[in-house]
């Protein structure tokens, strides 16, 4: 099964995001009016919150930090390979969720940026290894040749290993103004989210399920909550852990992230059936053709939509006690069910 | 180039080391008289120190801890694959060096055991990935089928990733009685030793050097000090870091480990030429046949032996200020130049 990357499409063009200027953000705004929180029952802050601008701005910040995160030194090839995939674009949702989780807990973007970058390194590692011939055997990702097509399989394996190992050092060396106890919890959380208890375990069940027709809902949930869900959950939660958030906050953010991750996956499955290829920007009906177990194939389209909506509502309910501080995470949750591609 | 594993052969048979009894240790002793430190100028403690017993005992302790380090839960296959390679034997030199580094600094075996196990997880990860078809393409390791031959390439890649990620969580969750600041330094050190700055970088240069005839001494040193040296150095140093050893102690242990790692590699190259296949337990002259750059091919046999001896002497000199506490590490250094296979 090809790796599904949990990402929000909030801009039409895929220009170099580290170069996003205020002008470009403005352009993006006018193109994405639908992303704005415009419902009548929102507070003035919510009504004026523009998700598109927020995401573009954060994405540019993250791109800038990622750009500086790995220098090219001898032996150059491995550093170039790591940078090739790390800087290959993408919406940087995990870093953005981490920054938002930290700010919600009273922390700053600066404080969370090293962890945010580490999350993207870990995510990138999983993509490089998933694309390998022995795994999904993909030649392209985001319109660019995959790592092993450019650098060879051996270097691609090592680039993944290098990113995985480096992510932890990066957090520990770069983070300023966070207590040691909190950093330990962040590292342990990320380690758990990547290991067999997290995305590695999800990928294993996904591989095992390939070609099987009688996958049940429990297995499908396991795949998604581990393969993509674990790192998404860790993204929001580590942001809060950096600030030493209490157990209730951590639990609420954990359930929020769990729900939006699963809702995204369900909507993704639904769109694969209902959206046109033009809307989707990729072949529609791919899952059906591959006879892949999906939420619509197990629950039907209407029930799937209902479940996604319910998950998003529950996600937002978890954030209710945080008031205005939760606006960005609320808007991200809302966008999931609203999207049409 | 095939992965060379830095390991001391201190027992003739490869029985299940977790089952080593005092009887077996005694048997090993009589077989390995040469390992005992018998020189006339040694203190009574050094004269009675038996390296073979020491290593067997420590190996058994580490095996016991590794056996309990990973439980098999759903999805079973990945946990079984991780255990398969982690528990496939070997002398557990890295864990033993870590325990010794901690004890030398005034710490306990108990305190260092989680880090010791993590070192073996990281080492095992590198072996699983090195054996892959895209890398060295080895079917056997230590007489057993390699991970990908048993579980498939996809699972082998994921088993490596899983071990790499889990190692950090294991240290943080399992270590007792160590300050958070020290644990952070341990994690950062290990992360650095595995990433492109360490074994990943060494492996890249090794791959790049394959088939090249004009490898110079600088490149050969880079390969060995990174591919095997970095994790060996981290083994001894993290042991001391757990106890919050001061910079001088850390520097001495670092230089000690650097030297014995390189000396081992040089002697390994020399033995490949001078030892008989019977003594070596593998094909002799393999490096020559493969036209591989080695220390003897660059320096000659006599100069190589001299360099190894000098490195070991320097390694031991670093430990001199620690007196009796350094006896195990001294004995391990001595053994390197004394070995004939």
């Amino acid at each position: 099964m090809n790796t599904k990357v949990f990402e929000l499409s909030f801009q039409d063009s895929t220009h170099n995001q580290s170069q996003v200027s205020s002008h470009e953000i403005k352009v993006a705004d006018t193109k994405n009016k639908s992303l704005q929180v415009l419902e009548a029952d929102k507070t003035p802050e919510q009504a004026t919150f523009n998700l598109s601008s927020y995401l573009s701005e954060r994405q540019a910040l993250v791109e800038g930090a990622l750009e500086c995160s790995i220098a090219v030194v001898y032996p150059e090839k491995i550093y170039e390979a790591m940078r090739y995939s790390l800087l290959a674009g993408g919406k940087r949702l995990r870093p953005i969720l981490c920054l938002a989780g930290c700010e919600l807990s009273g922390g700053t973007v600066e404080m969370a940026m090293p962890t945010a970058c580490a999350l993207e390194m870990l995510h990138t590692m999983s993509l490089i290894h998933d694309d390998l011939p022995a795994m999904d055997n993909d030649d392209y990702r985001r319109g660019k040749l995959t790592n092993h097509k450019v650098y060879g399989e051996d270097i691609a394996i090592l680039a993944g290993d290098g990113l995985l190992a480096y992510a932890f050092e990066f957090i520990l060396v770069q983070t300023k103004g966070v207590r040691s106890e909190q950093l330990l919890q962040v590292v342990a959380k990320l380690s758990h989210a990547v290991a067999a208890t997290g995305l590695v375990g999800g990928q294993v069940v996904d591989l095992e399920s390939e070609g099987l027709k009688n996958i049940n809902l429990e297995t499908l949930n396991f795949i998604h909550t581990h393969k993509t869900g674990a790192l998404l959950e860790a993204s929001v939660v580590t942001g809060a852990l950096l600030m030493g958030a209490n157990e209730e906050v951590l639990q609420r953010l954990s359930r929020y992230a769990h729900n939006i991750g699963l809702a995204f996956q369900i909507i993704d499955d639904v769109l694969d059936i209902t959206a046109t290829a033009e809307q989707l920007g990729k072949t529609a009906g791919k899952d059906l053709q591959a006879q892949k177990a999906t939420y619509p194939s197990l629950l039907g389209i209407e029930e799937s939509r209902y479940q996604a909506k319910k998950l998003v509502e529950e996600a937002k309910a978890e954030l209710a006690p945080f008031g205005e501080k939760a606006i960005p995470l609320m808007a991200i949750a809302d966008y999931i069910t609203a999207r049409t591609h």
Side-chain angles (χ1 to χ4, degrees), chain A:
Chain A
M1 194 188 291
N2 281 337
T3 313
K4 274 194 183 161
V5 180
F6 180 114
E7 272 173 4
L8 302 181
S9 300
F10 56 87
Q11 285 200 327
D12 294 342
S13 57
T14 51
H15 48 61
N16 184 342
Q17 295 299 343
S18 63
Q19 306 285 311
V20 173
S21 67
S22 58
H23 169 72
E24 286 173 301
I25 291 171
K26 205 172 157 195
V27 171
D29 290 353
T30 57
K31 282 186 186 167
N32 292 280
K33 285 259 181 246
S34 64
L35 296 185
Q36 294 182 31
V37 180
L38 293 170
E39 291 93 326
D41 61 345
K42 296 287 187 285
T43 65
E45 287 76 9
Q46 282 176 308
T48 56
F49 180 77
N50 185 306
L51 180 62
S52 176
S53 308
Y54 173 84
L55 293 174
S56 298
E57 202 182 306
R58 289 300 160 98
Q59 186 186 19
L61 279 178
V62 171
E63 288 295 338
L66 287 175
E67 177 64 41
C68 305
S69 68
I70 298 176
V72 177
V73 294
Y74 177 80
E76 288 81 5
K77 199 200 257 182
I78 186 69
Y79 293 97
E80 284 163 6
M82 286 159 65
R83 285 178 61 91
Y84 175 81
S85 292
L86 185 64
L87 302 174
K91 298 301 173 281
R92 313 307 190 186
L93 183 68
R94 287 157 194 78
I96 291 171
L97 286 172
C98 177
L99 301 178
C102 186
E103 286 188 302
L104 178 141
S105 313
T108 64
V109 165
E110 201 180 12
M111 181 186 282
M113 192 56 91
T115 301
C117 290
L119 280 155
E120 198 65 20
M121 291 176 197
L122 297 172
H123 175 53
T124 302
M125 172 283 297
S126 76
L127 300 182
I128 295 174
H129 282 187
D130 280 359
D131 287 339
L132 287 167
M135 308 274 271
D136 294 338
N137 195 19
D138 281 319
D139 291 353
Y140 290 91
R141 178 172 290 277
R142 296 184 192 128
K144 287 182 72 173
L145 284 170
T146 45
N147 201 288
H148 65 271
K149 295 301 284 183
V150 178
Y151 296 96
E153 279 183 58
D154 47 2
I155 296 295
I157 294 167
L158 290 166
D161 294 347
L163 284 167
L164 174 43
Y166 182 55
F168 299 105
E169 185 188 9
F170 190 76
I171 294 174
L172 299 179
V173 172
Q174 300 293 327
T175 307
K176 310 286 175 221
V178 173
R179 291 192 305 134
S180 299
E181 288 75 14
Q182 300 316 125
L183 281 181
L184 288 185
Q185 290 184 37
V186 166
V187 170
K189 180 80 189 170
L190 290 178
S191 182
H192 192 82
V194 173
T197 41
L199 72 81
V200 163
Q203 175 71 352
V204 168
V205 178
D206 194 2
L207 288 166
E208 280 175 349
S209 306
E210 218 165 81
L212 296 181
K213 282 177 187 169
N214 52 350
I215 300 300
N216 59 25
L217 194 58
E218 198 186 344
T219 305
L220 196 60
N221 277 342
F222 184 94
I223 293 171
H224 293 313
T225 55
H226 288 74
K227 189 170 167 172
T228 53
L231 202 58
L232 283 170
E233 192 252 2
S235 301
V236 193
V237 170
T238 53
L241 277 173
L242 288 164
M243 272 305 289
N246 67 37
E247 196 53 35
E248 197 209 319
V249 173
L250 297 175
Q251 286 296 328
R252 285 187 179 277
L253 291 178
S254 170
R255 289 189 293 262
Y256 160 84
H258 172 270
N259 280 17
I260 65 162
L262 211 49
F264 182 90
Q265 216 50 252
I266 295 174
I267 294 294
D268 212 59
D269 286 356
V270 169
L271 288 176
D272 184 76
I273 297 172
T274 60
T276 64
E278 198 185 349
Q279 282 175 311
L280 221 53
K282 61 179 181 184
T283 322
K286 224 175 136 187
D287 296 341
L288 267 180
Q289 279 169 19
Q291 295 195 298
K292 217 177 70 174
T294 64
Y295 288 98
S297 74
L298 290 174
L299 302 174
I301 290 178
E302 278 322 299
E303 177 64 15
S304 295
R305 275 198 182 117
Y306 171 75
Q307 289 294 340
K309 200 164 177 292
K310 203 172 138 217
L311 284 166
V312 168
E313 289 311 315
E314 285 169 7
K316 288 167 66 185
E318 295 288 350
L319 302 183
F322 305 118
E324 288 170 13
K325 288 185 294 182
I327 290 174
L329 291 177
M330 287 273 194
I332 289 171
D334 266 328
Y335 173 62
I336 286 171
T337 37
R339 76 196 178 103
T340 53
H341 60 276

